[in-house]
Amino acid sequence: MQKTLKLIIASFVGFAIMLIGLSWVSYQQSFLNIEYSNAVEHTQRVLIVSEEFISNMKDIETGQRGYLLTKNRSFLEPLETGISLASSHLDTLERLVRDNKIQKNSIAKIRELTFNKIRYIKENIDEVESGKNINLQVMDVGKKTMDTLRTRVKTFQSNEQDLLDIRIHSKNYGQSLMPVYQLLLSLASFFLLIISFYLVNSELKRRYKSENALENKVEELNRSNAELEQFAYVASHDLQEPLRKIRAFSDKLQIRQKEVLSNDGKETLDKIASSAARMQTLIDDLLNFSRMVNHKSQIMEKVELNKVINEVLLDFSDVIKKRDVAFKMINLPSITGYEFQMKQLFFNLISNSLKYAREGVTPIININCLQVKGKTFKDLAPVNEETLYYKISFTDNGIGFENKYAEKIFIIFQRLHNRNEYQGTGIGLAICKRILNNHSGFIFAKSEPYEGTTFDIYFPIASKT
């Protein structure tokens, strides 16, 4: 299938190139046909002007003879007009054949003969007007000049006629090619249309199959979500009930029977209680994560972040007082979102800063907020550069971590420290990332060992529902 598709695309490209080539050749041929037509008209114009010139010369000759025979000056008027027109026609012919060296030389000879012929005519007229007899020798030379002039003009016209025949042939041949080019263009366009239709049809079929496959995947995802919800139900009821009994019985043993147990028994009982408590925390975190994934039943509303963070700080009041934690916080904005998730987000971030505080160092947590544009996220292609975001930064002076793990910490169950060093399930920051995804926002971390950590969270000011 892939090989066939490549062949079809290659054919499409080939026909497209052919179509462009034929269009260019057709355009060139049309341009040449216009040039041929202009050349034919030009040559016909030369022949017409040359014929008018020789006709004027005949009128001059006739005017001369009429005057010489009758002495009537009325014959001199058409003679003078003919001389003026003949000169004008020679100027026109010289301009028309300026690109043809042979014809240009012929016009020069014709102009010279014309000048001589007119000179002889004027000499004869002057002789008659002065009362002298006609100079037969001059008449004979004038006649011979006129004969030579006619011969020159005929040769000139013969050359132009040859050019006319060649140009008419080129014009007719060029015009005969146009239907061929039009036919080839039509065939190439037809085949290009067929290939385009096939490619479009194939793409539509492929997309239809992909959409069906995607719908099947969505159905599978919905089933998985339903199973996840079922798991959450089981975790919240069927698992927690026996776990509460385990913790209750272990607490009862620790209260009533601990004194009569051996050291090994006491150690085992402590391990049971610790494991049960850790399992309780894990189940609670998994339930919280499940709620973040399946948030469709919740409704977005206006959330006052100042109120939310004050409630979170109230939850940590004992720890804050005990460890003398210093908070530096500016006024936070209101956003459109899920209030429960905002409380969970701030709870996890502050809890993270308190958990990883350095020993012997007073914990300091700074919370800042400012507005930024989407172009801040240079590596996130879907983000509109002009979209405004609230950037809220949580900065602490804790133990920090190597910045190469800045993305890993948001993956569920990923931990950078041993469970014995720091309590936790590795789900808290994954929940934070899920909450930001639910609000079309982003969360990033940057840190260095023993230099503290900064979590930057971004909420679009016009949040998507």
Side-chain angles (χ1 to χ4, degrees), residues 189-207:
S189 300
F190 177 72
F191 283 113
L192 198 63
L193 182 63
I194 291 176
I195 294 173
S196 299
F197 172 78
Y198 179 83
L199 290 175
V200 171
N201 188 53
S202 299
E203 178 63 17
L204 289 175
K205 287 182 177 179
R206 186 192 66 80
R207 290 191 178 186

Side-chain angles (χ1 to χ4, degrees), residues 225 228 288-296 434 438:
N225 286 339
L228 181 59
N288 287 332
F289 187 79
S290 174
R291 292 191 190 100
M292 299 306 108
V293 174
N294 300 281
H295 64 286
K296 294 180 181 179
R434 172 55 62 179
N438 292 345

Side-chain angles (χ1 to χ4, degrees), residues 342-389:
M342 288 300 100
K343 187 172 182 179
Q344 188 73 44
L345 172 67
F346 290 166
F347 183 92
N348 287 348
L349 291 175
I350 294 174
S351 173
N352 195 79
S353 295
L354 294 175
K355 183 192 305 182
Y356 296 107
R358 283 185 287 169
E359 290 292 336
V361 177
T362 300
I364 300 175
I365 300 175
N366 291 317
I367 304 176
N368 293 312
C369 179
L370 67 155
Q371 289 187 18
V372 298
K373 287 188 176 181
K375 59 186 177 183
T376 306
F377 317 110
K378 296 181 179 179
D379 298 331
L380 298 179
V383 176
N384 188 323
E385 291 187 355
E386 297 304 316
T387 301
L388 285 174
Y389 288 82

Side-chain angles (χ1 to χ4, degrees), residues 56-201:
N56 289 331
M57 292 305 296
K58 290 177 182 179
D59 291 341
I60 293 171
E61 183 76 15
T62 301
Q64 173 199 226
R65 288 176 182 174
Y67 177 73
L68 293 177
L69 291 174
T70 64
K71 306 294 190 297
N72 187 346
R73 294 193 65 84
S74 63
F75 286 98
L76 293 179
E77 184 177 348
L79 185 144
E80 293 295 335
T81 302
I83 291 173
S84 176
L85 289 173
S87 177
S88 175
H89 288 144
L90 284 175
D91 290 341
T92 301
L93 288 172
E94 189 173 33
R95 186 176 69 253
L96 291 173
V97 300
R98 63 182 178 272
D99 296 330
N100 189 327
K101 187 176 181 181
I102 295 175
Q103 294 295 75
K104 187 177 180 181
N105 291 335
S106 293
I107 290 296
K109 293 289 184 182
I110 290 171
R111 185 183 289 277
E112 181 182 352
L113 290 169
T114 302
F115 176 78
N116 290 335
K117 175 61 180 174
I118 292 172
R119 180 166 57 84
Y120 294 141
I121 288 172
K122 287 183 176 181
E123 286 181 8
N124 289 330
I125 292 172
D126 290 342
E127 289 287 334
V128 173
E129 286 183 340
S130 63
K132 297 179 181 179
N133 294 324
I134 299 173
N135 190 334
L136 296 177
Q137 185 178 359
V138 172
M139 285 289 291
D140 185 56
V141 173
K143 180 180 179 303
K144 289 180 179 179
T145 301
M146 187 63 184
D147 291 339
T148 304
L149 179 62
R150 285 193 181 97
T151 302
R152 282 283 184 180
V153 171
K154 284 184 178 179
T155 301
F156 176 84
Q157 290 178 333
S158 177
N159 290 338
E160 283 298 317
Q161 187 63 49
D162 291 340
L163 278 175
L164 181 62
D165 293 339
I166 292 171
R167 288 170 176 175
I168 289 175
H169 175 75
S170 298
K171 174 186 174 183
N172 293 336
Y173 178 73
Q175 290 177 342
S176 68
L177 289 176
M178 291 306 296
V180 177
Y181 291 140
Q182 294 297 328
L183 178 62
L184 291 175
L185 276 171
S186 299
L187 290 174
S189 300
F190 177 72
F191 283 113
L192 198 63
L193 182 63
I194 291 176
I195 294 173
S196 299
F197 172 78
Y198 179 83
L199 290 175
V200 171
N201 188 53

